[in-house]
Amino acid sequence: IETTLTDNLLQQNSKKVIDVIAKDKNGEKIPGEQCKVRLNGINIEPSWDDDVKTSFTLEFSESGDYTVEISATDADGVQSKKTFNITYEMAEYGEVIGKAIVSIEAFTPGVGYIVAPMEIDVKEGVNCAWLLDELLTQQGLPYFSTGSLDGGFYLAHIENIPEFTPSFSEVIKNCLSDFGFDLDEASYEAGRLSEFDFTQGSGWMYCVNGVFPNVGFSEYYLQEGDVMRVQFTLAYGSDLGGASGAGYTYAGDFYEIVNRDELTRLIAEIGLEGCSEYMDLITKPDMTQEELAARLYVSRTAVSKWESGRGYPNIDSLKEIAKFF
């Protein structure tokens, strides 16, 4: 059993979406009906189930300690279990319960950031659709969506984007061709990025802490410290490391995706204008772990200069520790 839930969690939002990936001894996914999640002994029905993972939404009503038991049973009747402990602190609806980092990116067509990484308030009971609506409105970016902010929200396109000229890397072009996608570099409207621009597999997706949820914006709730990256895909997520977000086992990622959350946090703290030296790295589709380490790795000697809990270093301290890279 693999899951996005962590043990001894301090939970401040009354809703939390978790993913469960349970496999049998042959590596095959165990069907959702054979995966069980119990919150303080109460069975939780799946929010979504597909060929890759099963999602559940935990709901908390009163402050206190909770136990989550996740179990899965394979076709031979062999069962596995994991238990997690959560402490929930109740808040009033709309109350700020933490901070998260959010960005809106169009790296795959070479457009860069639509909204550079920034810190936003996480509010009790407010889903990601409402948070995204507020962010886009504040940034003066009209958008079109289907569904509603309360259910079935799908981001179709964003408008009012400053003038841009798409620039597709050779890596992206070759991967699109190899995987059967037809690229039309002129197939878009000025100032707008929309589903079906450039390829038949394009559109907006999002990941949280490097994982692409298989539920929509209106069904997901951020937590303190989360990093949410809204991204434009050209290939149903395969160019972002999000093929599994589509929920189909036949879909595969073009290349291994290195988690960009650390870079995203740094850009949010320092500001985009101070991070020009990182842009070639974070926008590189097939960035490797070695390339990331070479640019951002901080030795244990440097890390020891900062006490636990002081957060990410600011620009001055980054210059100081650069000699340890």
Side-chain angles (χ1 to χ4, degrees):
I1 295 174
E2 296 179 11
T3 178
T4 53
L5 185 61
T6 56
D7 196 19
N8 297 317
L9 177 69
L10 175 61
Q11 177 71 19
Q12 295 176 295
N13 202 316
S14 59
K15 294 184 180 181
K16 181 173 181 62
V17 177
I18 65 168
D19 294 332
V20 176
I21 301 174
K23 297 180 181 180
D24 62 21
K25 63 183 179 182
N26 299 316
E28 298 294 325
K29 179 183 181 291
I30 294 176
E33 61 268 19
Q34 293 168 230
C35 292
K36 304 296 181 183
V37 171
R38 296 172 67 83
L39 179 63
N40 278 2
I42 299 175
N43 217 32
I44 307 298
E45 293 298 320
S47 305
W48 184 264
D49 183 44
D50 55 39
D51 293 342
V52 178
K53 55 191 177 185
T54 308
S55 297
F56 299 83
T57 301
L58 307 179
E59 297 191 34
F60 307 90
S61 57
E62 297 180 356
S63 295
D65 295 329
Y66 290 77
T67 299
V68 179
E69 182 184 86
I70 301 174
S71 64
T73 306
D74 68 14
D76 296 325
V78 178
Q79 186 179 77
S80 180
K81 291 183 180 181
K82 285 189 174 183
T83 301
F84 301 85
N85 298 300
I86 296 176
T87 298
Y88 169 58
E89 293 182 354
M90 187 169 60
E92 296 295 323
Y93 178 82
E95 180 181 342
V96 175
I97 55 175
K99 302 287 185 179
I101 303 298
V102 176
S103 64
I104 302 179
E105 309 167 4
F107 295 160
T108 51
V111 176
Y113 280 116
I114 307 303
V115 177
M118 61 186 299
E119 189 176 70
I120 67 166
D121 291 334
V122 177
K123 300 175 182 178
E124 155 59 24
V126 179
N127 66 42
C128 286
W130 281 99
L131 293 177
L132 181 64
D133 173 79
E134 181 178 2
L135 176 63
L136 290 171
T137 301
Q138 289 175 347
Q139 297 295 316
L141 296 168
Y143 69 91
F144 176 77
S145 64
T146 57
S148 73
L149 296 176
D150 293 316
F153 181 92
Y154 170 74
L155 179 63
H157 71 243
I158 298 176
E159 300 178 355
N160 242 17
I161 301 171
E163 185 175 349
F164 64 85
T165 301
S167 177
F168 300 87
S169 70
E170 290 303 312
V171 170
I172 288 289
K173 288 181 178 180
N174 291 337
C175 285
L176 289 172
S177 176
D178 291 345
F179 281 75
F181 290 91
D182 297 321
L183 175 63
D184 183 350
E185 298 186 35
S187 176
Y188 73 100
E189 293 186 22
R192 187 173 89 165
L193 277 176
S194 176
E195 58 179 347
F196 310 129
D197 284 353
F198 311 118
T199 74
Q200 72 274 27
S202 70
W204 290 101
M205 300 180 66
Y206 75 108
C207 69
V208 180
N209 304 331
V211 176
F212 286 82
N214 56 5
V215 297
F217 285 99
S218 51
E219 284 70 50
Y220 202 95
Y221 296 81
L222 292 182
Q223 315 293 326
E224 160 67 25
D226 282 350
V227 176
M228 181 173 80
R229 299 169 54 220
V230 181
Q231 303 173 66
F232 192 79
T233 177
L234 299 170
Y236 303 120
S238 292
D239 50 345
L240 305 175
S244 63
Y248 303 113
T249 52
Y250 64 76
D253 293 326
F254 287 169
Y255 26 69
E256 182 178 357
I257 294 292
V258 176
N259 191 305
R260 287 160 164 77
D261 285 356
E262 180 185 359
L263 277 170
T264 304
R265 286 184 185 278
L266 285 172
I267 293 172
E269 178 167 342
I270 298 170
L272 191 59
E273 66 282 356
C275 292
S276 57
E277 69 269 31
Y278 299 131
M279 290 310 298
D280 66 316
L281 191 65
I282 199 167
T283 59
K284 187 174 187 283
D286 56 345
M287 176 182 70
T288 66
Q289 189 66 51
E290 290 73 22
E291 289 173 316
L292 176 65
R295 189 76 62 88
L296 288 181
Y297 175 74
V298 181
S299 73
R300 291 183 182 275
T301 304
V303 170
S304 67
K305 294 184 178 181
W306 282 269
E307 300 87 0
S308 175
R310 287 186 60 178
Y312 286 82
N314 58 31
I315 185 63
D316 293 329
S317 56
L318 278 175
K319 290 177 181 176
E320 180 184 342
I321 64 177
K323 60 176 178 269
F324 292 102
F325 287 3

